[in-house]
Amino acid sequence: MFHPQPPAVSANQLSSRDLRRALDVLHALGDCCAGSGDFARRGIELLPRLIGSDLTTLVVCDIESGHRIVRPEGLLSRRATEVFDHYFHEHPLVRAHSRNTNAVTTRISDLMRPSEFHRLPLYNDYYRPIRIEHTMAMPIHVDERFLVSFVFNRERAKFCERERDLSEVLRPHVANLYRYSVALDRMPLLPSDLSRRRTALALTPRERVEEIVKQLDRIVGRRDAGMGPGRVRSIPDAIAQVLAEHTGLREPGEEHVREVREGRPK
């Protein structure tokens, strides 16, 4: 296994516009991220806005088994997946980044000349059939077993040094967001925590209103005041009724009635 010297990042090649766009992408990538699946979807969508790519993936390489998981799922054919795994340990980027905690953003062209790359069975059996000539990988997690990277691929134009440098400036921050997203997946959720987390991370504005109605309904008393459909049990109940009527949600208290009928009052 070989580890090439990390490419030197030249800040002079990055303009203030580059850095502002990078900050915007980082903000959008991390804002209210709901977990690793959401992180992967956002990264695949957002990173090509900075680094043009014909095919952008998040890949998880299992070094021990020699198998690669690719997101988005179903993007590559079963045949392409099997061919890549066949040459897994011969792939120059896998060899350069595996178990290398100092791994940095690297292009295949940083590791070998194009003529050398084109002589590899990996190129002729995998890359050429899917029309990929240039590949650059941004490693965001490396340990003894797994290598996780965003991978950018192009058919024609090479990745220039400015694009590699921009990717490398982003990489440690993207790696931190990845670790955060995985931590969310592993976070133990008590029943009382679930609605708060969903409200903060995954609900639409309408769903947030519905959540407020349900929570208000939980804290009201069960004695009605007044008569008719407009009767209220408390000030929170009145607020809940107004919100429900305004948004077309179900009548506050219906969930409680259903729970009582089913023998599971809260």
Side-chain angles (χ1 to χ4, degrees):
M1 186 174 301
F2 63 93
H3 296 156
Q5 292 297 315
V9 175
S10 173
N12 293 331
Q13 295 197 55
L14 301 179
S15 66
S16 58
R17 181 174 179 271
D18 288 332
L19 297 177
R20 283 195 301 269
R21 291 173 61 220
L23 287 173
D24 288 343
V25 166
L26 286 173
H27 176 75
L29 183 57
D31 186 34
C32 294
C33 180
S36 60
D38 188 28
F39 170 85
R41 287 188 294 272
R42 293 182 186 211
I44 290 165
E45 175 188 354
L46 294 168
L47 290 173
R49 298 181 186 180
L50 288 175
I51 302 161
S53 175
D54 297 326
L55 177 67
T56 304
T57 59
L58 178 69
V59 300
V60 179
C61 294
D62 185 332
I63 307 304
E64 292 184 3
S65 68
H67 176 64
R68 180 187 67 158
I69 298 172
V70 179
R71 294 293 180 269
E73 191 173 4
L75 184 66
L76 298 174
S77 68
R78 180 177 178 180
R79 166 66 178 167
T81 300
E82 292 174 349
V83 170
F84 186 96
D85 286 355
H86 179 74
Y87 297 113
F88 183 93
H89 291 290
E90 300 174 29
H91 194 293
L93 290 172
V94 173
R95 293 173 63 193
H97 289 167
S98 294
R99 300 190 176 103
N100 177 10
T101 56
N102 296 316
V104 296
T105 301
T106 308
R107 305 165 295 187
I108 289 181
S109 59
D110 292 321
L111 305 174
M112 58 178 56
R113 291 185 293 272
S115 59
E116 296 173 314
F117 178 49
H118 289 164
R119 285 197 297 268
L120 295 179
L122 169 68
Y123 170 78
N124 287 290
D125 294 346
Y126 176 76
Y127 281 105
R128 188 164 68 174
I130 61 173
R131 297 183 177 180
I132 295 299
E133 286 290 327
H134 308 284
T135 298
M136 181 171 71
M138 175 203 290
I140 58 174
H141 175 80
V142 181
D143 62 28
E144 285 300 305
R145 179 173 178 181
F146 293 106
L147 166 65
V148 183
S149 306
F150 278 108
V151 181
F152 308 94
N153 300 276
R154 286 179 182 164
E155 180 180 2
R156 298 182 183 278
K158 298 178 182 179
F159 292 99
C160 66
E161 292 185 0
R162 184 191 64 81
E163 291 171 317
R164 184 194 61 193
D165 293 349
L166 182 57
S167 177
E168 181 58 19
V169 166
L170 282 170
R171 185 185 58 79
H173 307 291
V174 175
N176 286 336
L177 291 173
Y178 170 74
R179 285 190 286 270
Y180 171 73
S181 73
V182 172
L184 284 177
D185 292 342
R186 296 174 177 173
M187 183 185 299
L189 293 178
L190 300 176
S192 60
D193 295 330
L194 181 59
S195 63
R196 287 200 295 271
R197 181 185 170 199
R198 290 188 66 248
T199 299
L201 297 177
L203 300 185
T204 66
R206 176 185 170 84
E207 288 171 333
R208 290 190 181 99
V209 173
E210 186 171 17
E211 190 70 24
I212 292 170
V213 171
K214 289 194 294 186
Q215 290 181 16
L216 287 170
D217 185 45
R218 295 289 187 189
I219 65 175
V220 300
R222 294 302 169 189
R223 286 187 179 178
D224 294 346
M227 299 179 62
R231 65 187 183 276
V232 297
R233 295 187 292 268
S234 64
I235 290 177
D237 181 46
I239 297 171
Q241 285 194 28
V242 170
L243 289 172
E245 181 179 354
H246 178 68
T247 58
L249 302 175
R250 63 179 179 274
E251 175 73 15
E254 286 184 1
E255 183 176 350
H256 172 73
V257 171
R258 184 171 62 254
E259 291 167 354
V260 171
R261 288 175 176 172
E262 294 175 357
R264 50 184 182 89
K266 299 293 184 181

